Amino acid sequence: MSETGHPWLYAPWLREHGDALIAGIAATGLVSFAPVSLFPAEDPQTRHHVALFSRLKPDAYRRAVRRRLLVATDRAAGLVVTFDWAPAMRILVETAREIGLPTVLVPHEGVFFDRDLYYGGAGVVPATDRVLGWGGLHRDIFVSRGYDPARISLVGSHKLVMARSYRAALTPREWRERLGLAGDGGVVVFAVQPLDNVADPVAARASQRTAIVEVAAAAAAAGLALVVRPPPATVPDLLPDPVPVGAVLAAPGPDLAVQAHETIAQASVVVSIGSTMLIEAATMGRPALALAYGGLRSGFADFGLPLIEDGASLRAALEAIGRGEVERFKVTATFAEAFGLSETGVRPADLIAAGLVEIAGDVDLAGLRGAPSRRRDAIDRFLAFERLGLPPKLRKLILRPDAFFRDLAFFGRDR
């Protein structure tokens, strides 16, 4: 427990990312957490509706978030988030600060293929009071954008330290059988990215779909199987239609065979445009290829990862892996400093927990609640509305009447 004996608030979001990090910190026994529910735990896909609502109706969302923060527990040490660049979390942090809660960012991601695009884009900094970051890259990027360096503490990367010590739990045969892979040759894992933080997501996703098709052809020519791993977040137009023949889709989930570290440990090579799995693979000493397709830049080459910029380089790299010419990545001092891979033996989760103990406040949420209300708040009403599945035009008329009538006037001018 924290020094105050009160839990930190945390809003569950993505089980594989932020939620897993919070669970790792809680496992230290030094701090505890109380959930702030933004969507039903039994229906995690509804977080997409919550994210949409926070953009469409920020004021109504803010009021609902305040209510949910106040009922999470009687007294709280503060609020922890693992990202706050998106409106759903940004508003949560701003509302928590208004209530008087200390706010802390403990990033679940610290890897990016273009530092200007990281954390929501150029100029975006955390809204939290403090940042407990991974390594030099977090500090340098946030400070260069104007965040006070005195409010940043570097605690290392829980994710990468866990990756470094990971050993495959399944035999290669067991893993292949669970995924439905034929044969016993090498396996290419393509880690698909949402690419929602680039200047032109539509063009970037088109480039990624092309890359998946080219990787499939190059893998087949090299005698390698292909596993395509979509991101945890459901995003349209990420995969080619149809998915290349022979490719196996392995979406993240509770099954051990599709969990990130097991997948990396079993793969002959991890390929991606910008997934954290590239850095996790490098940390584990596994081969990793960073793709720079369609004009997308890649900062991974700055840290020693091979950069693939065209089809010929891709085919040559996979042919070498098919022949068993596997070059394992060696972590350099530059890589370790950038991504928070300390050799001290102190676990990042312990450092994060200790940092939270130091920052913890003591906020009386029960005294701020006011009279209880039995009415459903705006988030619940919006989720119920989304379940109706109304036609797009009717949905727009109800949710955004101004935009609906602007569209009507625009099309009416052509008549």
Side-chain angles (χ1 to χ4, degrees):
M1 297 291 288
S2 66
E3 288 181 344
T4 60
H6 305 306
W8 283 82
L9 303 184
Y10 169 72
W13 196 254
L14 270 175
R15 182 184 64 83
E16 296 83 2
H17 291 326
D19 298 1
L21 172 57
I22 295 300
I25 302 168
T28 66
L30 299 174
V31 290
S32 63
F33 297 91
V36 179
S37 174
L38 297 180
F39 53 85
E42 68 276 8
D43 192 7
Q45 290 303 314
T46 53
R47 70 174 177 273
H48 299 298
H49 303 317
V50 174
L52 174 63
F53 181 59
S54 70
R55 296 194 299 269
L56 292 177
K57 303 286 185 180
D59 291 338
Y61 178 76
R62 188 180 302 272
R63 290 190 294 271
V65 159
R66 176 183 172 87
R67 175 181 173 184
R68 293 183 181 217
L69 283 167
L70 293 178
V71 301
T73 186
D74 287 342
R75 304 189 80 89
L79 172 75
V80 173
V81 293
T82 66
F83 71 102
D84 74 348
W85 57 266
M89 290 297 161
R90 197 75 163 190
I91 293 172
L92 179 71
V93 168
E94 292 168 351
T95 305
R97 294 185 70 180
E98 292 168 3
I99 290 171
L101 289 164
T103 56
V104 182
L105 169 68
V106 183
H108 69 259
E109 295 288 357
V111 182
F112 29 85
F113 53 94
D114 185 334
R115 61 183 291 156
D116 290 339
L117 297 176
Y118 177 66
Y119 215 72
V124 179
V125 297
T128 53
D129 302 311
R130 295 284 299 276
V131 172
L132 302 180
W134 288 21
L137 270 178
H138 270 149
R139 180 194 57 222
D140 295 347
I141 289 175
F142 290 150
V143 170
S144 71
R145 296 178 184 180
Y147 196 86
D148 182 358
R151 295 160 55 195
I152 300 176
S153 299
L154 300 184
V155 294
S157 169
H158 174 72
K159 176 179 283 189
L160 295 187
V161 167
M162 296 298 289
R164 182 169 57 187
S165 62
Y166 189 84
R167 299 295 180 268
L170 302 173
T171 67
R173 180 185 293 275
E174 289 171 336
W175 184 71
R176 296 177 70 96
E177 287 177 351
R178 287 203 193 186
L179 266 62
L181 290 167
D184 56 2
V187 179
V188 180
V189 171
F190 193 114
V192 182
Q193 281 292 90
L195 298 173
D196 50 2
N197 59 346
V198 301
D200 188 345
V202 173
R205 288 167 187 161
S207 295
Q208 182 169 242
R209 291 194 298 271
T210 299
I212 293 171
V213 172
E214 292 190 7
V215 168
L224 302 168
L226 174 62
V227 171
V228 177
R229 191 176 194 274
T234 302
V235 180
D237 301 324
L238 290 186
L239 302 178
D241 186 15
V243 175
V245 175
V248 172
L249 290 180
D255 185 359
L256 172 62
V258 296
Q259 291 178 14
H261 292 166
E262 184 70 19
T263 300
I264 295 169
Q266 298 285 354
S268 303
V269 63
V270 176
V271 178
S272 183
I273 289 177
S275 173
T276 306
M277 287 180 68
L278 290 173
I279 296 299
E280 290 177 278
T283 301
M284 295 167 67
R286 307 296 295 171
L289 301 177
L291 302 183
Y293 269 56
L296 290 174
R297 292 183 289 168
S298 178
F300 290 129
D302 297 340
F303 303 100
L305 271 71
L307 187 64
I308 302 298
E309 299 181 276
D310 55 54
S313 300
L314 173 67
R315 289 190 294 273
L318 293 188
E319 285 171 3
I321 290 172
R323 294 191 299 267
E325 300 170 6
V326 177
E327 185 175 346
R328 296 183 179 276
F329 185 84
K330 294 181 176 59
V331 172
T332 64
T334 300
F335 182 101
E337 194 279 332
F339 298 112
L341 268 174
S342 170
E343 297 293 341
T344 63
V346 180
R347 298 186 306 170
D350 291 329
L351 293 176
I352 295 167
L356 293 178
V357 169
E358 179 184 348
I359 298 165
D362 179 4
V363 181
D364 179 9
L365 298 178
L368 297 173
R369 286 175 193 160
S373 172
R374 296 189 178 184
R375 294 181 56 194
R376 294 197 299 176
D377 64 29
I379 294 175
D380 281 334
R381 293 196 295 271
F382 186 78
L383 292 179
F385 175 80
E386 288 294 296
R387 292 188 190 101
L388 295 176
L390 299 176
K393 289 185 179 179
L394 178 58
R395 184 177 179 279
K396 189 170 188 177
L397 172 62
I398 296 172
L399 290 177
R400 303 170 64 198
D402 292 345
F404 176 83
F405 286 114
R406 279 199 304 272
D407 290 351
L408 202 62
F410 174 80
F411 289 115
R413 290 203 301 268
D414 297 332
R415 295 181 180 276

